[in-house]
Amino acid sequence: MKHLIDPTDLTKEEIDQIVALAEDIIAHRERYQGSMAHKKLATLFYEPSTRTRLSFTAAMMELGGNVLGFSNPQNSSVSKGETVQDTVRVVGCFADIIAMRHPIEGAPLVASEVSRVPIINAGDGSHSHPTQTLTDLLTIKRELGHIDGITIGFCGDLRFGRTVHSLIKALSRYKDIKVVLIAPDELRLPDYIKQDVCDKMGVAYRETDSLDDAIPELDVLYMTRVQKERFLDEDEFDRVKDSFVLDARRMALAKEKMAVLHPLPRVNEILTEVDDDPRAAYFRQVENGKLVRMALIISLMEWKNDPAHGMPEHDAPILNPALHCTNPKCICNNEKHESRFRLAENGITRCWYCDSKVR
Ligand code: NCD
């Protein structure tokens, strides 16, 4: 069964196929209108969302399908203590495909292990957000005409920003990508992305705390919101919340063709004076999110039982009772799941569910 839990669950060819299908949907919208007739998408949102949930809903509706689900787990059996796995076993009896957002990292992964229908991770904690990645790739393709060869700057909260982690993973499969990481010390990109993705895949990156210095060389500037809800320490959030602001003065330093992306919602990191700049692509990006989710739903439903589109093979997990994941937001510390680990780059052992370093 093909699920989308992490961007690396898709091969580069599958990503390109989904992006190409989205472009075909743009060109021939009418051809796809009834393609999901009598099919149902369940949206299980355990965490707030406007864009992602509504864009999944709109995507399924445009394909002629139906949508059910919840956006507030307090109104579901979750509030009675039901596990994620039991919930998807039940929902799989009603729906043909499930999109799940969860504040706990690894929740969509454990869901996929028991589900009889495809699971799409619509964001798990600070960990992954692969459908935003597809949105971002389609946006880069439409704005610049190509993905290979770009220099992309990620600015703001690179530590908790799951959209950043997922997009870097996907871009590492493209040619000649250069990454500039623009963040204060407290919000730097986690080591596992630097080591297991950039170093391993040969992605050139550099770190800076100056947006002014970085902006002139960028083809894409990916702005992010400081993720208030992920901080365990409120003082730390207050210290970094206004770290980087994109304004007209800074836009004047950028290339004429640079594209500004932001997964939204923005708080104050892009001033509204930038919105009318033709390089501001973030509202076009929202529309692309719906189109690419239409393409993803069609693809996963087609690939569901096709052995040519299975899940990637991984080494067997390490089961060592002496090791413990210390991430309080990992599924293994919130529900009863076997502790599992994997050996990553540089001899580091990481949690199977959330990628935290355990040794
Ligand atoms: C992002 C998310 O939820 O991670 N938003 C989104 O999906 N459009 C980014 C954010 O919340 O800042």
Side-chain angles (χ1 to χ4, degrees), residues 132 223-225 260-266 269-270 282 285:
Q132 182 64 43
M223 294 296 295
T224 60
R225 172 179 74 87
V260 183
L261 274 63
H262 189 310
L264 302 181
R266 75 169 147 191
E269 58 279 356
I270 303 180
Y282 32 92
Q285 192 179 353

Side-chain angles (χ1 to χ4, degrees), residues 3 9 40-41 47 81 90 108-109 111 116-117 133 142 144 155 186 191 193 224 250 269 274 296 317 321 346 357:
H3 305 281
D9 293 336
K40 294 186 239 33
L41 164 76
E47 191 187 71
V90 169
L109 174 65
R116 62 185 212 188
V117 301
T133 296
R142 295 188 76 190
L144 300 180
C155 180
E186 296 88 334
D191 281 347
I193 302 282
T224 60
R250 284 182 157 142
E269 58 279 356
V274 179
L296 175 67
N346 305 331
K357 179 175 170 178

Side-chain angles (χ1 to χ4, degrees), residues 4 6-8 10 15 19 121 128-140 147 162-171 174 222 261 263 285 292-293:
L4 177 56
D6 185 270
T8 55
L10 299 172
I15 292 179
V19 169
N121 177 4
S128 255
H129 195 348
T131 65
Q132 182 64 43
T133 296
L134 294 172
T135 304
D136 301 338
L137 293 173
L138 175 63
T139 305
I140 295 171
I147 299 172
R162 56 194 173 191
T163 63
V164 173
H165 308 163
S166 288
L167 182 53
I168 294 178
K169 277 190 181 175
L171 284 173
Y174 288 81
Y222 196 98
L261 274 63
Q285 192 179 353
V292 95
R293 289 182 175 100

